[in-house]
Amino acid sequence: MSNKLYEIIKLREKTYLQQILGDKYGCYKWWARKEELDSICAKLGISFNQIISDIETHNDLYCIYVGQSHRVLRKRISIHLNSTINRSTLRKSIGALFGLNEIDNFLNKLFLEFVVLEDTDKNKLKRKIDNYLEYRKHLDMLGETELKLCD
């Protein structure tokens, strides 16, 4: 399991994404700074204070999207980074808020955390993903996790 954060701009390099993820399975979280979260709130017509108690936080970052992949994680991340809005709910949501031409600009300001799970049995994998997400939720509530930015 990983508590590392990756800058999106670096993950756009396909060889880098291949190097760190290979053909593994797992889940992932997209993190934003307050500035990006504020811009989402403004587009939605809500204030930061209205949602802060419902958002997972780490230091000065806020979790804005969680996903899981029962297929190769690298390919799922690549879809979010480089595909069309038809293949990515994340891209579709950002496009709806900021316009289609701003999707990549917004994504490039975010960070990504992922957890690689070694098991290839899809039923076991799904249980591991669900258990990991539940485990992280409890650790976060206790304030016992720390995310580190990767080079």
Side-chain angles (χ1 to χ4, degrees), residues 5 17 28 74 76-77 81 98 108 137 146 151:
L5 289 175
L17 194 56
Y28 50 95
R74 171 183 45 81
R76 187 71 204 139
I77 299 302
L81 292 175
F98 300 103
N108 285 342
K137 185 167 61 172
E146 185 68 29
D151 294 329

Side-chain angles (χ1 to χ4, degrees), residues 18-31:
Q18 171 67 37
Q19 176 187 0
I20 59 176
L21 284 179
D23 290 334
K24 307 293 184 187
Y25 300 82
C27 52
Y28 50 95
K29 292 182 179 182
W30 291 78
W31 295 88

Side-chain angles (χ1 to χ4, degrees), residues 12-14 31 39-40 42 82 94 102 111 121 129 132:
R12 289 190 183 280
E13 300 169 21
K14 291 186 181 191
W31 295 88
S39 64
I40 292 171
N82 304 308
I94 292 170
E102 291 301 314
F111 301 89
D121 178 298
I129 289 171
Y132 169 75

Side-chain angles (χ1 to χ4, degrees), residues 59-79:
N59 299 328
D60 295 328
L61 296 175
Y62 304 87
C63 182
I64 62 167
Y65 188 89
V66 177
Q68 60 185 6
S69 181
H70 300 292
R71 298 183 183 168
V72 175
L73 186 56
R74 171 183 45 81
K75 290 180 181 179
R76 187 71 204 139
I77 299 302
S78 185
I79 287 170

Side-chain angles (χ1 to χ4, degrees), residues 131-145:
N131 289 341
Y132 169 75
L133 292 175
E134 190 64 26
Y135 167 75
R136 273 299 304 269
K137 185 167 61 172
H138 289 294
L139 282 181
D140 292 336
M141 289 186 331
L142 296 171
E144 294 186 12
T145 58

